[in-house]
Amino acid sequence: MSKTLRGIITFISIIFVFFLVMMHKDEFGSLFQNTKPIPMLTLILLQIPLIALRGYPFKVLVSSLGYEIRIRDWAGLSFIANFLNLVLPYRPGMVFRYWYLKKHYRLPLSHFTRVSLFYFALLIACSGLMVVFPLFWIPIPEVFLAPFYLFLEWLGLGVLLTGFTLIGLGFLLKRLQVKAKSKELLKSFAPFIKHPHHLLKTLTGFIILQGLTGLSFYVTFIGLNAPLSFIHCIFIVGFSTLFMIVPLTPGNFGLLETALGGLTQALFGNFSLGFSAILLFRIAQLLISTLLGSGFCLLLLGHFFPSKIRSTL
């Protein structure tokens, strides 16, 4: 996508968000007037472990390839990447992560790409599961029974089942002599399959991450004086994560707010609730990412920008 088209999409999103806010300004005013400070402070503090732990599943997958990343590196890269992803379109945080790992750990692009693809496959699987399972406990708006939405739900569940299948194959490979041709078929996933405990640790990391995100939303809705059940928050987390896989604007700003507003409109008849919650969540993330991301830039690089990046500014 060209820079011009990205700029047009971002501009239209901002205008659209402004238009929606003006349409629901009375609802927003009522929500923010009743905002509670303690839950908002809790939301900000929760972002520290939440953002830091986003690097843990990636670190575990990389270790399957024989690269042991130090905790300050994978945690620090998470804060820096999160900040870049929030303020720039697509996922520039991934580019920075690769640049750093190549420079300091000599991680080849092929390995980084393989790990990234597997990382996102598991993330989509866990998110799809978080969208599907809550539907057994919460009322389902008719819009979510559309064929396309059902396809996304079962796709996520299928990817998750595939992940558990790979874990099972990993245990079998340790105990059985597999023919050379079979090994060739599994070659691209061999580093992950041969270390099933890494897959288990990765999935556990994703579950903890999604749980922390759900807790963050739970606290946010309490802060807005409109508490929701935790199962609703888990559903919202799965929905928003899937929506964020391909960011078209910086952090999908405008698009995600609109999507979450539409979701809470469908579930509770209140557009401003989802819109406000994701906006507060985004502000908390941006605040922590800016402060700690800057700190980790100084710690890991000795300055705010890599020399190659600074030369282009």
Side-chain angles (χ1 to χ4, degrees):
M1 187 182 296
S2 67
K3 291 183 179 180
T4 303
L5 184 56
R6 289 202 304 266
I8 292 173
I9 293 175
T10 302
F11 178 75
I12 293 174
S13 299
I14 293 173
I15 297 298
F16 187 57
V17 167
F18 177 78
F19 176 73
L20 288 173
V21 170
M22 294 306 296
M23 282 183 61
H24 298 270
K25 60 181 180 180
D26 292 336
E27 294 178 16
F28 284 111
S30 177
L31 273 176
F32 285 110
Q33 283 178 1
N34 297 319
T35 300
K36 300 177 181 178
I38 299 300
M40 292 299 101
L41 178 61
T42 305
L43 169 65
I44 293 173
L45 295 177
L46 278 172
Q47 302 314 301
I48 299 175
L50 175 58
I51 297 173
L53 288 174
R54 282 180 178 174
Y56 178 75
F58 195 91
K59 175 261 181 191
V60 174
L61 291 176
V62 171
S63 66
S64 302
L65 304 177
Y67 299 87
E68 292 298 331
I69 304 176
R70 294 176 299 178
I71 184 171
R72 77 167 194 173
D73 287 339
W74 61 258
L77 287 173
S78 294
F79 286 105
I80 298 171
N82 194 74
F83 171 76
L84 293 174
N85 291 338
L86 283 173
V87 299
L88 296 172
Y90 298 115
R91 290 188 177 272
M94 289 188 64
V95 177
F96 184 89
R97 192 191 300 270
Y98 167 66
W99 176 87
Y100 186 87
L101 293 178
K102 179 183 179 182
K103 180 178 180 180
H104 294 274
Y105 291 90
R106 300 185 182 278
L107 183 70
L109 179 60
S110 59
H111 287 3
F112 181 84
T113 302
R114 187 190 311 175
V115 170
S116 297
L117 289 174
F118 208 79
Y119 177 96
F120 279 106
L122 292 179
L123 176 62
I124 291 171
C126 290
S127 301
L129 192 65
M130 294 176 70
V131 171
V132 174
F133 280 3
L135 296 179
F136 291 102
W137 290 278
I138 63 178
I140 307 174
E142 292 185 6
V143 64
F144 297 135
L145 296 176
F148 178 70
Y149 190 80
L150 290 174
F151 168 75
L152 290 179
E153 295 170 5
W154 288 109
L155 177 63
L157 185 59
V159 174
L160 182 69
L161 292 176
T162 301
F164 281 113
T165 301
L166 290 175
I167 293 175
L169 287 174
F171 284 113
L172 288 175
L173 282 174
K174 283 189 171 184
R175 291 166 175 76
L176 301 174
Q177 293 295 326
V178 183
K179 294 181 179 181
K181 289 185 178 180
S182 299
K183 288 185 177 181
E184 282 297 319
L185 293 174
L186 299 173
K187 186 177 180 180
S188 60
F189 297 113
F192 309 118
I193 297 173
K194 289 181 179 179
H195 300 88
H197 60 287
H198 285 162
L199 270 179
L200 286 171
K201 288 166 69 175
T202 303
L203 286 172
T204 301
F206 276 127
I207 292 171
I208 293 173
L209 275 174
Q210 302 294 57
L212 275 174
T213 309
L215 180 61
S216 296
F217 274 104
Y218 184 76
V219 169
T220 302
F221 287 117
I222 291 176
L224 289 170
N225 205 28
L228 299 184
S229 68
F230 189 70
I231 196 69
H232 278 107
C233 293
I234 290 295
F235 177 76
I236 289 172
V237 170
F239 180 88
S240 59
T241 302
L242 291 174
F243 198 87
M244 283 291 291
I245 294 297
V246 182
L248 299 177
T249 63
N252 258 350
F253 174 75
L255 304 178
L256 184 59
E257 280 80 1
T258 303
L260 263 292
L263 181 64
T264 55
Q265 177 69 37
L267 290 172
F268 313 110
N270 189 335
F271 176 86
S272 62
L273 183 59
F275 192 104
S276 301
I278 194 62
L279 191 60
L280 289 172
F281 182 86
R282 192 190 294 276
I283 292 171
Q285 286 233 319
L286 185 60
L287 176 63
I288 295 299
S289 295
T290 301
L291 294 176
L292 295 184
S294 301
F296 273 109
C297 269
L298 291 173
L299 176 64
L300 301 182
L301 305 174
H303 39 66
F304 286 108
F305 299 102
S307 57
K308 290 184 178 179
I309 296 178
R310 285 188 298 165
S311 65
T312 63
L313 295 179

